[in-house]
């Protein structure tokens, strides 16, 4: 059965996904067939055997024990059967394959912080090499989050004070998506990440050289892309009108900001860099209620964000 034709599930992009899909569609069609059949038979009986004028109820003396046993035992057998195939797939997909690449995931309100084996970190975007087993080692810095990739058919809670792991092998090149599937505060719905499944060669080059400006984007456009990708836009408005939870960034460049210390700061390269690296160093008056997380950005990426801020006039 072709899931894309039925259109219920997103594209299956991991080695474990087809087995889950088969089980899902089996249960789905099994339920559809029996729901329709039982409803149709019930409706027919209601009409065919309805009470007519002059009908007298008859005593039922037929012994139905065999029939009772039959329709009790058969459903009881179906349940362990479903458990067996579900548990088999679960176990198959929970075993970490040899040579898996270990990715460290730290969840926090409201971003996904990924760390590659060589120590390179990135927020809300992760690259995986195709046909290579991956092991995610996940923890939370604050509240319970849940790491969910629909294209891989996998989800696992990410809990403070506990490491949870998730393992899979991506099998299709392209883009998949991470959602947070546990309500974790006001910007829960913005806690998203993009998964790029690339060739092994592209992955190796990427973790060696780090993220680079895409050729088709200007410096400021790359900055804007990083701004949204890192989830900054979830909190910071840029239109000068909307009252956002964090300082509105329209006209931010060379603005004088009043801080909680009653000092003023002139917004320049140094202030922007400090605010990204150490968000709590200088807090703008009136914005102490929501603490900005520390972002994993390279110097080159911060340059791009500065270029983008200069365009927010
Ligand atoms: Cu993190 Cu919802």
């Amino acid at each position: 059965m072709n899931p894309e034709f039925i259109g219920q599930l997103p594209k299956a992009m991991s080695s474990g996904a087809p087995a889950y899909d088969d089980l899902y569609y089996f249960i789905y069609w099994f339920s559809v067939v029996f729901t329709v059949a039982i409803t149709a038979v019930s409706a027919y009986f209601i009409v065919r055997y309805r009470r007519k004028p002059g009908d007298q109820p008859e005593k039922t003396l037929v012994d139905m024990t065999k029939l009772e046993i039959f329709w009790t035992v058969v459903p009881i057998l179906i349940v362990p059967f479903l458990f067996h195939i579900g548990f088999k797939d679960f176990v198959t997909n929970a075993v970490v394959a040899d040579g898996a690449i270990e990715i460290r995931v730290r969840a926090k309100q409201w971003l996904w912080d990924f760390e590659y084996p060589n120590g390179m970190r990135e927020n809300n975007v992760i690259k995986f090499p195709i046909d290579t087993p991956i092991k995610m080692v996940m923890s939370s810095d604050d509240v319970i989050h849940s790491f969910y990739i629909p294209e891989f058919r996998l989800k696992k809670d990410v809990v403070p004070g506990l490491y949870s792991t998730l393992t899979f092998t991506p099998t299709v090149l392209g883009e998949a998506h991470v959602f947070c599937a546990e309500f974790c505060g006001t910007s829960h719905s913005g806690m998203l990440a993009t998964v790029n499944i690339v060739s092994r060669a592209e992955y190796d080059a990427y973790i060696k050289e780090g993220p680079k400006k895409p050729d088709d984007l200007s410096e400021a456009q790359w900055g804007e892309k990083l701004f949204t990708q890192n989830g900054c836009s979830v909190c910071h408005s840029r239109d000068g009108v909307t009252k956002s939870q964090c300082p509105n960034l329209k006209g931010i460049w060379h603005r004088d900001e009043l801080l909680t210390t009653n000092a003023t700061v002139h917004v320049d390269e140094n202030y922007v860099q400090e605010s990204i690296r150490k968000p709590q160093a200088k807090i703008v008056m009136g914005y102490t209620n929501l603490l900005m997380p520390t972002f994993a950005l390279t110097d080159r990426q911060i340059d791009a964000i500065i270029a983008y801020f200069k365009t927010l006039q």
Side-chain angles (χ1 to χ4, degrees), residues 102-235:
E102 211 170 283
I103 307 273
R104 186 73 176 84
V105 183
R106 293 178 187 91
K108 50 188 148 185
Q109 288 168 316
W110 289 275
L111 63 86
W112 299 103
D113 182 4
F114 299 107
E115 186 179 328
Y116 292 93
N118 65 356
M120 183 173 102
R121 282 171 58 207
E122 227 176 340
N123 297 147
N124 293 349
V125 64
I126 181 83
K127 273 194 206 308
F128 295 134
I130 191 168
D131 296 330
T132 309
I134 310 283
K135 181 186 179 192
M136 312 293 272
V137 180
M138 313 189 289
S139 67
S140 168
D141 287 358
D142 37 47
V143 299
I144 301 176
H145 303 271
S146 189
F147 186 86
Y148 175 38
I149 304 183
E151 291 87 351
F152 293 178
R153 312 288 187 264
L154 287 175
K155 184 173 75 167
K156 193 116 180 206
D157 280 3
V158 184
V159 181
L162 183 80
Y163 294 99
S164 47
T165 60
L166 200 57
T167 185
F168 49 82
T169 302
T171 50
V172 179
L173 290 172
E175 196 176 282
H177 306 87
V178 178
F179 295 86
C180 180
E182 184 69 50
F183 182 70
C184 56
T186 47
S187 297
H188 152 74
S189 61
M191 199 168 157
L192 309 167
T194 307
V195 176
N196 291 305
I197 299 148
V198 297
S199 67
R200 183 68 200 226
E202 192 180 334
Y203 170 83
D204 289 340
Y206 185 74
I207 60 162
K208 202 166 147 220
E209 290 154 26
K212 279 202 192 122
K213 181 175 84 68
D215 290 336
D216 54 334
L217 297 183
S218 71
E219 183 82 0
Q221 284 169 329
W222 189 35
E224 182 173 11
K225 191 172 174 225
L226 291 166
F227 186 86
T228 27
Q229 172 194 303
N230 281 279
C232 314
S233 51
V234 172
C235 193

Side-chain angles (χ1 to χ4, degrees), residues 254-265:
H254 289 329
R255 184 159 79 190
D256 288 316
E257 294 276 38
L258 179 64
L259 303 176
T260 46
T261 53
N262 271 318
T264 1
V265 69

